[in-house]
Amino acid sequence: MSASSPFIAPVALHTPSHSGVGDLLSYACDRPLPPGTLVRVPLGNREVLGVVWDSDAATGELPDGATLRAIGGVLEGVAPLDLPWRRLVAFTARYYQRALGEVALAALPPQLRDLKPEQLARRLRRPALTADDSGNAIENIALTAEQESARAQIVSNPGPFLLFGSTGSGKTEVYLRCVQEMLEADPTAQALVMVPEINLTPQLEERFVSRFAPRFGAGAVVSLHSGMTNPQRLKSWLAAHSGTARIVLGTRMAVFASLPGLKLIVVDEEHDPSYKQQEGARYSARDLAIWRGREQGAKVLLGSATPSLESWHASRPPTPEDPEGGRYLRLHMPSRIGAGALARVRRVDMNQQPRRAVFSAPLLQAITERVARGEQSMVLLNRRGYAPVLHCVDCGWKSDCPHCSAHQVFHKTDRTLRCHHCGFTVRVPHHCPTCGSPDIHAMGRGTEQLEEQLAALLRNVQRPDGNAARVARIDADTTKAKGALEAQLAQVHAGEVDVLVGTQMIAKGHDFRRITLVAAVQPDGALFSSDFRAPERLFALLMQAAGRAGRDAAYMAAQGTPCEMWVQTFHPQHAVYEALRRHDYEAFAAQQLKEREEAAMPPFAYQALVRADARTQEAAQGFLQAATAAAHAAALPGLEAVTLFPPVPLTIQRVANVERAQMLMESPSRAALQRFLAAWQPILQTTRHNREHKGLIRWLVDVDPLTI
């Protein structure tokens, strides 16, 4: 290191996971750089973005003969990332067993990772919208007694809070009011509001912009989600980082937004599995929001009509047997705005219906009556495509994917067979590929088939204006094009659709004003799943779907008929449907938590998965078995309180010609599990490089997994 570069900067980089490089690399610089500074540094033959990190060794002498490569440039004009942000990244990396640099760089906008200092300087010179206090007063909607009680509790208590409000109870208005009061009380304060899916951000953004832009300026509200272009994401990130943006709306990635003035975090639909990242660092944005709020002194508000059982348990009130209760404060809003009634649940016993019937006669009659009155209906089936599989009657051939242990789904619209796991697509054969028989049939049903059959069944049904009934479908296949989802939702809101068919995309968060009937046609599959969380997810989905009906109390009063939720099931007396009929989440949660406690399942225990991907199933399981044996041989810390289960194949064990196996770890102590995982990481790394495990492609750790 030359005399002209007397300083050493420790830099976090996104280095390859298999490289064995440590969390921080040292570079030479000619001046001390504060932690959090963004820099361009050489790495191999490339120049990459890095973040100067905290270290006690900012200066010092290198061993004789050692040299350091110099930092390539500093991204001037972007303030250093503050200590709370760096602590959040460090905690995430540590807890979810990932490299520090991987988490830090993934949390930054992609374009920031690609821009050189001079390019960024030009970008920063462009005029940007600013959040100015225009002084216009906000016209507040009068709160109900329940909303006012919740708002007052949030103001006067530290939290975290669980806002348990039925669908249509006005949770969003509580969020808006809390954000407003916080922004008005502190001119530097910022709020983070998260939703589980991209398709829910436009309508939320519309409400926040219309409420706050007149008061705080056009740039006060920005969005952050993966559906935005890279320049859009960079613009939003810079606005939040500089404090110009007062409110950030986003999906799970927004939990890492740099918000130096953060004072409030809202996690809407907190139960939703979409808050759990399923690639790379498998973090839970909801759980990180709780941690970040505590660390940064920000209040955290979780909201849901069907809270996750973890959050419900964490918000339990004190009792004589449990005097401390949970860590969260539970706020209850059971009533719908405008005295609207919750949907009446009607169960249809499909054992009493004709075999192979898709729509029972009573449900079809109910939909017909709604169309004739000008009302809208929604039909839910959580499986896209036309049919899950094609089948040859003569030889038994099925449309299996050649690269995965799964079927290729039949899509009738474009006459393709498509694997929803690896994406492999082929044209539908005219004859059986095995025996040549032309007698090939679709087995099972998807939303595409449902849309087609409903359109045929309703072809003679007329709307009040004399036109034929109109059926539309919203799922991942119909919303691929940019702007397609917004256009389709606009048609529903405008009353141009009489029956909406779709997957769970349409069941969450949408404020449809004229839907008076919701039907779930094939929900039974989740009742007998091997995943212990399946009943919880099904109940939440059906409750959320039921909440789409009857949201406009004035409209329902004018129609004079109750809103309804129809469930077609072969198990009408199942406890899930019994609780749904009564809209009794509390009873459902109590029963589920009792079962979980008896079985020592989360939230009464803590879990992690280690997954191995390999060329053969034997190689995948062999790696996991060897790593387990090494853990026992080393008597790793925490192991005495951790149960290691044998490795097993995943349910879909082969995807894209890669075999997948996993093993589960469980412990009554979160701390013991974390100690064990931290100590096990080097052993997993060493085992991975053992010549005996040449077939191994990759391995990963999933802490607090949602699917097993």
Side-chain angles (χ1 to χ4, degrees):
M1 187 166 65
S2 67
S4 60
S5 298
F7 298 100
I8 299 174
V11 180
L13 303 172
H14 191 172
T15 52
S17 58
H18 59 270
S19 64
V21 175
D23 276 344
L24 300 173
L25 296 182
S26 295
Y27 288 87
C29 53
D30 56 9
R31 58 189 168 97
L33 295 174
T37 302
L38 294 171
V39 291
R40 304 284 304 181
V41 296
L43 182 67
N45 299 323
R46 301 174 296 138
E47 189 174 79
V48 298
L49 182 70
V51 183
V52 176
W53 216 256
D54 312 75
S55 174
D56 297 330
T59 62
E61 292 300 318
L62 294 173
D64 288 344
T67 59
L68 286 182
R69 301 179 78 176
I71 281 173
V74 176
L75 271 63
E76 307 284 0
V78 180
L81 292 152
D82 62 14
L83 179 60
W85 186 89
R86 300 195 305 276
R87 285 175 59 82
L88 172 69
V89 166
F91 170 78
T92 303
R94 187 170 66 248
Y95 186 81
Y96 292 103
Q97 305 293 317
R98 306 297 292 196
L100 176 69
E102 175 193 7
V103 177
L105 274 296
L108 298 174
Q111 196 172 42
L112 195 60
R113 303 199 288 267
D114 300 332
L115 291 178
K116 290 181 167 54
E118 57 274 17
Q119 294 173 317
L120 180 64
R122 285 198 300 272
R123 173 76 177 72
L124 291 170
R125 282 196 294 270
R126 294 178 196 164
L129 288 173
T130 58
D132 60 287
D133 189 342
S134 58
N136 293 336
I138 294 175
E139 292 186 20
N140 286 320
I141 298 170
L143 298 182
T144 66
E146 290 176 3
Q147 288 175 318
E148 176 55 35
S149 173
R151 185 207 63 80
Q153 291 265 59
I154 293 164
V155 168
S156 58
N157 290 283
F161 306 94
L162 174 64
L163 183 57
F164 172 48
S166 67
T167 51
S169 62
K171 293 186 291 295
T172 305
E173 185 58 39
V174 175
Y175 306 155
L176 286 160
R177 189 65 67 87
C178 290
V179 169
Q180 175 189 332
E181 293 182 4
M182 182 266 301
L183 295 187
E184 290 180 336
D186 181 349
T188 65
Q190 293 175 294
L192 170 62
V193 182
M194 292 196 292
V195 290
E197 294 186 8
I198 293 171
N199 67 64
L200 296 177
T201 52
Q203 66 181 40
L204 192 70
E205 186 172 17
E206 187 180 326
R207 288 190 69 173
F208 271 81
V209 169
S210 63
R211 179 71 68 93
F212 295 114
R215 176 71 173 85
F216 298 106
V221 182
V222 299
S223 291
L224 268 179
H225 56 76
S226 59
M228 302 165 69
T229 64
N230 284 347
Q232 287 171 333
R233 279 170 67 177
L234 177 60
K235 183 179 179 182
S236 292
W237 186 89
L238 288 170
H241 177 61
S242 66
T244 304
R246 305 291 304 280
I247 304 165
V248 172
L249 308 176
T251 49
R252 62 175 175 262
M253 63 156 50
V255 77
F256 291 111
S258 174
L259 292 156
L262 184 63
K263 291 290 182 288
L264 175 66
I265 304 175
V266 175
V267 185
D268 192 26
E269 310 291 2
E270 67 84 29
H271 67 277
D272 199 291
S274 300
Y275 283 119
K276 174 78 167 162
Q277 171 77 359
Q278 293 299 339
E279 295 174 356
R282 299 192 167 207
Y283 63 87
S284 163
R286 178 198 66 210
D287 295 349
L288 288 181
I290 295 287
W291 192 92
R292 184 175 189 181
R294 187 180 69 238
E295 285 290 306
Q296 206 163 336
K299 293 191 178 186
V300 182
L301 175 56
L302 311 179
S304 178
T306 53
S308 64
L309 291 178
E310 284 81 2
S311 296
W312 185 254
H313 181 65
S315 68
R316 65 195 183 279
T319 62
E321 301 79 32
D322 181 14
E324 289 191 9
R327 307 186 310 279
Y328 306 170
L329 179 61
R330 187 184 300 169
L331 311 174
H332 198 186
M333 293 190 346
S335 307
R336 281 190 139 181
I337 296 292
L342 292 168
R344 185 173 71 188
V345 177
R346 303 188 61 167
R347 293 167 291 180
V348 180
D349 187 349
M350 295 303 285
N351 297 294
Q352 308 300 321
Q353 297 298 315
R355 190 168 172 269
R356 299 178 64 83
V358 183
F359 295 97
S360 62
L363 173 58
L364 190 60
Q365 179 62 30
I367 293 175
T368 301
E369 291 171 359
R370 306 273 170 171
V371 173
R373 290 200 299 267
E375 300 170 17
Q376 293 175 314
S377 300
M378 189 171 95
V379 178
L380 179 69
L381 176 64
N382 214 15
R383 183 186 294 129
R384 60 192 173 98
Y386 188 85
V389 62
L390 286 185
H391 170 249
C392 174
V393 174
D394 289 346
C395 74
W397 169 86
K398 290 185 177 65
S399 56
D400 294 330
C401 175
H403 309 298
C404 306
S405 51
H407 300 309
Q408 285 185 288
V409 176
F410 173 37
H411 289 256
K412 189 174 182 180
T413 306
D414 56 2
R415 301 292 300 172
T416 61
L417 291 174
R418 201 179 309 158
C419 178
H420 290 175
H421 298 277
C422 72
F424 181 72
T425 304
V426 295
R427 301 292 298 170
V428 172
H430 294 290
H431 302 87
C432 172
T434 301
C435 70
S437 168
D439 200 5
I440 302 177
H441 292 285
M443 293 177 66
R445 295 171 187 86
T447 48
E448 203 180 309
Q449 186 177 163
L450 230 57
E451 178 192 24
E452 179 185 278
Q453 292 183 342
L454 254 183
L457 291 167
L458 299 176
R459 64 185 178 277
N460 296 322
V461 178
Q462 290 187 336
R463 296 155 44 96
D465 60 10
N467 291 321
R470 288 172 291 195
V471 181
R473 170 169 54 96
I474 293 182
D475 57 26
D477 295 321
T478 67
T479 55
K480 286 179 183 173
K482 186 174 177 61
L485 176 62
E486 289 80 359
Q488 289 172 303
L489 290 173
Q491 288 181 324
V492 179
H493 289 301
E496 297 171 16
V497 173
D498 299 298
V499 184
L500 176 62
V501 176
T503 56
Q504 63 179 4
M505 281 179 72
I506 62 174
K508 307 173 187 176
H510 298 292
D511 194 21
F512 301 122
R513 309 305 290 178
R514 292 174 55 189
I515 285 183
T516 60
L517 180 148
V518 174
V521 292
Q522 289 182 339
D524 286 349
L527 295 178
F528 308 103
S529 167
S530 57
D531 187 345
F532 70 90
R533 282 192 172 91
E536 178 186 358
R537 282 196 290 267
L538 174 63
F539 185 80
L541 177 61
L542 295 179
M543 281 278 282
Q544 293 286 332
R548 299 315 106 205
R551 295 181 71 84
D552 189 330
Y555 178 75
M556 293 305 303
Q559 297 305 106
T561 52
C563 55
E564 293 180 334
M565 169 74 180
W566 288 66
V567 179
Q568 294 191 155
T569 171
F570 289 96
H571 307 277
Q573 305 307 318
H574 195 281
V576 169
Y577 300 136
E578 280 289 334
L580 179 70
R581 181 182 64 81
R582 300 190 303 272
H583 293 275
D584 195 347
Y585 170 83
E586 298 185 46
F588 172 78
Q591 174 257 331
Q592 285 286 306
L593 284 171
K594 184 171 181 291
E595 290 182 9
R596 299 254 189 114
E597 187 171 20
E598 290 170 352
M601 295 281 197
F604 304 99
Y606 303 93
Q607 295 179 328
L609 285 174
V610 176
R611 201 180 89 192
D613 295 353
R615 295 184 181 89
T616 65
Q617 187 63 216
E618 293 73 23
Q621 293 196 32
F623 165 76
L624 295 174
Q625 288 164 346
T628 301
H632 283 291
L636 295 181
L639 181 58
E640 70 284 350
V642 177
T643 302
L644 302 178
F645 292 90
V648 294
L650 268 71
T651 307
I652 308 292
Q653 73 175 58
R654 181 168 53 96
V655 170
N657 292 323
V658 172
E659 291 285 337
R660 311 185 303 167
Q662 67 181 16
M663 61 176 291
L664 176 68
M665 284 148 285
E666 214 166 59
S667 175
S669 164
R670 192 197 297 269
L673 183 59
Q674 281 288 318
R675 280 199 306 276
F676 170 72
L677 288 172
W680 201 25
Q681 280 280 353
I683 289 179
L684 285 163
Q685 197 73 261
T686 303
T687 308
R688 186 235 190 284
H689 293 296
N690 192 314
R691 290 179 61 85
E692 296 175 23
H693 305 295
K694 284 191 298 185
L696 185 72
I697 297 170
R698 59 187 161 260
W699 58 272
L700 60 88
V701 177
D702 185 357
V703 180
D704 302 334
L706 281 191
T707 52
I708 297 176

